[in-house]
Amino acid sequence: GGTPNSRCCPVCSGLPGTLPVLNRKAVEYIIKAGYVMNCDISRFTKWDRKNYFYPDLPKAYQISQMPRPVCLAGKVKINVKGEEKEIRINRIHLEEDAGKLVHDDVNRISLADYNRCGVPLIEIVTEPDFHSADEVVAYLEKIMLLLQYAGICDCKMEQGSIRCDVNISIAPKGSNELGTRTELKNLNSLKAIAKAIEVEIERQEELLDNGERVIQQTRRFNEALGETTAMRSKEDAHDYRYFPDPDIPPIILTEELDEMRSSIPELPEQRVARYVEQCGIKKQDADLIVSDKKICDFYEEAIQAYDNPKAVANYVTGELLRRKNLGEVDMDDLKFSGREFAQLVEFLQTDKISQSNAKAILGEMIENGGTPKDIADAQDLWIKEDSDLLAKTVDEIIANNPKAAEQYRSGDQKVFGFFMGQANKALKGLASPKAIQEYIKKKLSE
């Protein structure tokens, strides 16, 4: 954040004599990331200098980890088109970030922003287990959820708090050996990542079909033009001249690891299982709620206030998410709490307000905040049980629709919904759905 180069210090800009310090919290985060991705945690870990000159790295080396990363040999399960697949994690290591280059294609210049130089980051490296852009997107969505639920990262890709580089290589069908790889950088959305992968696969296929060869290089994706362009040749590990960093001491991890593991909160799959087994929610709805941590935390707060998880889930997945998808609801700027939302659902379930009035109250809560009770009081939205009016209204509806009444009496249960709809529309909250239902059944059975 901040305007370019407004948050720099002597360490960021690599001034002579500056010494780095390891961030303890970053070490805790990477260990937690290893646990949620089923990795082995190294008891002994150390840092190395990765030497290269590039404009976004003022001191011409990066503190990273080569032979002894914190996390090794993990795995993450993904689901693509109903099929489950396991993606292997090669390693997760801790290193410092470099700066950011902004390329101005119009003026043909590159600008350097050193704000994030020296900031610790964790890099997650997978094995080459992906065979489509869909699998890559499913994996990214999964690890973003895991990192959010574990409290490690907010995963706002548009703000750069999670970034992704994609290595792509293709091979003839049936071959066990992958071809020469290229690396795609500067991908800042899931949509861009999927498109870039497809574009690069097509480019490599065309080269090979024409008898040309793929060159190992780093490329960037131009989303506007829908093409990848070369940035530089891709280096291998030996080109970086790794050696142990003299400023950051190695770390021996102790029994405190067990405490860190036990401090990891409930993860997405565990929440889904609890919602299905203990709350009786359909798995499809549970998956939908858990797929957004803010929605899930909101739901948790709501069911603590009103112990009817199925009813709350139905209103979250039905009405709240519908409005969120329409752009009416911003979970980062919500004017009401899960507790207040639960009160609205309770009023609806106990026939204190009608369906249409519940939607009106929710709309007011989204727009201006306020509790369901206060809004219902102010706008006179409570159901009033007027039994005389109920009887008169339903009698008229049945009298005016003798054919539909006869259909129901002949065993066609579907027309009951027609009578309910007509009565609800006419009464406008002056009778509860339960009272209307009971009276219609009684009249139609006479």
Side-chain angles (χ1 to χ4, degrees):
T3 54
N5 300 308
S6 65
R7 297 186 176 177
C8 296
C9 68
V11 177
C12 307
S13 46
L15 296 183
T18 55
L19 291 173
V21 177
L22 187 61
N23 185 306
R24 180 186 178 92
K25 197 70 180 176
V27 177
E28 291 175 7
Y29 280 157
I30 190 173
I31 292 168
K32 286 185 177 181
Y35 279 135
V36 300
M37 295 182 208
N38 304 294
C39 293
D40 296 328
I41 309 297
S42 302
R43 290 290 173 155
F44 173 83
T45 187
K46 70 181 185 70
W47 278 262
D48 304 280
R49 281 194 181 181
K50 179 181 181 182
N51 298 276
Y52 64 97
F53 175 79
Y54 203 61
D56 64 3
L57 196 70
K59 62 182 186 285
Y61 72 86
Q62 179 186 34
I63 299 171
S64 184
Q65 295 189 291
M66 184 54 186
R68 304 288 301 210
V70 178
C71 312
L72 287 164
K75 59 188 177 184
V76 170
K77 287 181 182 176
I78 62 170
N79 195 298
V80 180
K81 295 175 182 174
E83 290 187 18
E84 198 171 75
K85 180 173 182 176
E86 196 169 88
I87 302 298
R88 294 171 296 159
I89 305 288
N90 174 288
R91 54 159 46 210
I92 308 177
H93 60 261
L94 181 64
E95 63 184 23
E96 63 175 330
D97 208 344
K100 178 183 179 183
L101 289 181
V102 180
H103 303 285
D104 184 341
D105 293 329
V106 176
N107 296 307
R108 301 185 66 77
I109 58 170
S110 293
L111 305 170
D113 176 6
Y114 296 118
N115 274 354
R116 71 186 191 199
C117 271
V119 173
L121 66 83
I122 61 176
E123 181 162 308
I124 305 161
V125 183
T126 69
E127 299 289 358
D129 291 343
F130 304 96
H131 296 288
S132 71
D134 286 343
E135 290 182 1
V136 173
V137 170
Y139 162 77
L140 287 169
E141 287 175 336
K142 182 65 178 283
I143 65 164
M144 284 162 77
L145 264 189
L146 290 171
L147 292 170
Q148 287 174 60
Y149 275 84
I152 297 166
C153 180
D154 62 18
C155 294
K156 292 180 179 176
M157 191 171 271
E158 70 281 1
Q159 293 181 10
S161 54
I162 185 165
R163 308 198 296 276
C164 174
D165 298 336
V166 183
N167 289 280
I168 297 172
S169 56
I170 62 176
K173 200 168 187 178
S175 171
N176 291 323
E177 284 191 29
L178 291 167
T180 304
R181 68 189 170 95
T182 60
E183 182 181 32
L184 294 178
K185 282 192 172 290
N186 300 338
L187 303 170
N188 56 13
S189 72
L190 294 176
K191 184 181 174 184
I193 289 163
K195 183 63 178 172
I197 291 169
E198 289 165 1
V199 165
E200 181 59 15
I201 288 172
E202 282 181 24
R203 187 190 74 85
Q204 291 189 20
E205 283 177 345
E206 194 174 326
L207 283 173
L208 296 175
D209 287 344
N210 292 335
E212 300 174 59
R213 66 189 184 93
V214 176
I215 299 168
Q216 184 172 329
Q217 57 188 191
T218 299
R219 302 178 69 84
R220 63 190 174 104
F221 176 58
N222 186 318
E223 200 167 353
L225 298 176
E227 63 182 24
T228 67
T229 52
M231 290 171 67
R232 59 180 183 269
S233 61
K234 177 65 182 169
E235 302 89 349
D236 285 312
H238 62 265
D239 295 315
Y240 291 122
R241 299 294 191 269
Y242 282 95
F243 66 85
D245 188 272
D247 298 323
I248 304 289
I251 289 182
I252 297 169
L253 297 168
T254 64
E255 287 71 25
E256 287 182 8
L257 285 176
D258 295 331
E259 292 175 27
M260 291 189 62
R261 183 167 207 160
S262 62
S263 72
I264 295 172
E266 193 178 36
L267 296 175
E269 287 178 5
Q270 295 165 330
R271 285 203 187 188
V272 168
R274 174 163 62 86
Y275 293 160
V276 172
E277 292 163 17
Q278 296 179 21
C279 301
I281 299 171
K282 288 186 286 188
K283 186 170 185 304
Q284 186 179 357
D285 288 343
D287 284 335
L288 198 56
I289 290 168
V290 170
S291 67
D292 184 320
K293 186 174 185 294
K294 285 191 172 68
I295 290 282
C296 195
D297 290 345
F298 178 86
Y299 174 72
E300 281 285 320
E301 184 187 351
I303 61 175
Q304 294 301 317
Y306 177 43
D307 188 18
N308 191 337
K310 284 177 79 172
V312 176
N314 288 339
Y315 216 62
V316 166
T317 56
E319 196 59 25
L320 187 67
L321 286 182
R322 182 184 72 81
R323 292 174 185 251
K324 180 176 178 285
N325 293 336
L326 289 172
E328 295 176 19
V329 173
D330 180 1
M331 295 306 293
D332 290 322
D333 187 29
L334 209 57
K335 293 183 171 70
F336 57 94
S337 66
R339 181 173 290 275
E340 289 163 343
F341 183 83
Q343 189 183 68
L344 176 66
V345 178
E346 185 175 2
F347 288 161
L348 185 58
Q349 288 296 304
T350 53
D351 290 330
K352 290 185 173 67
I353 54 174
S354 65
Q355 279 278 4
S356 58
N357 284 350
K359 291 179 182 180
I361 291 169
L362 181 59
E364 178 65 21
M365 289 165 68
I366 291 167
E367 192 70 29
N368 300 309
T371 70
K373 183 181 182 306
D374 290 344
I375 295 167
D377 284 341
Q379 299 184 22
D380 194 23
L381 298 175
W382 299 108
I383 286 176
K384 300 173 188 68
E385 297 289 0
D386 189 331
S387 56
D388 291 339
L389 183 62
L390 167 60
K392 183 184 173 194
T393 304
V394 171
D395 288 349
E396 283 180 7
I397 292 169
I398 292 174
N400 292 335
N401 295 277
K403 192 175 177 183
E406 194 53 45
Q407 276 180 261
Y408 178 81
R409 293 182 182 117
S410 300
D412 187 355
Q413 300 290 314
K414 292 177 187 173
V415 293
F416 188 81
F418 163 75
F419 287 112
M420 278 295 295
Q422 290 292 308
N424 277 322
K425 187 177 176 183
L427 288 161
K428 295 177 181 174
L430 293 172
S432 68
K434 187 178 177 183
I436 295 170
Q437 185 182 50
E438 287 175 357
Y439 189 79
I440 292 174
K441 279 185 177 176
K442 177 184 164 216
K443 289 300 291 182
L444 287 174
S445 63
E446 288 177 356

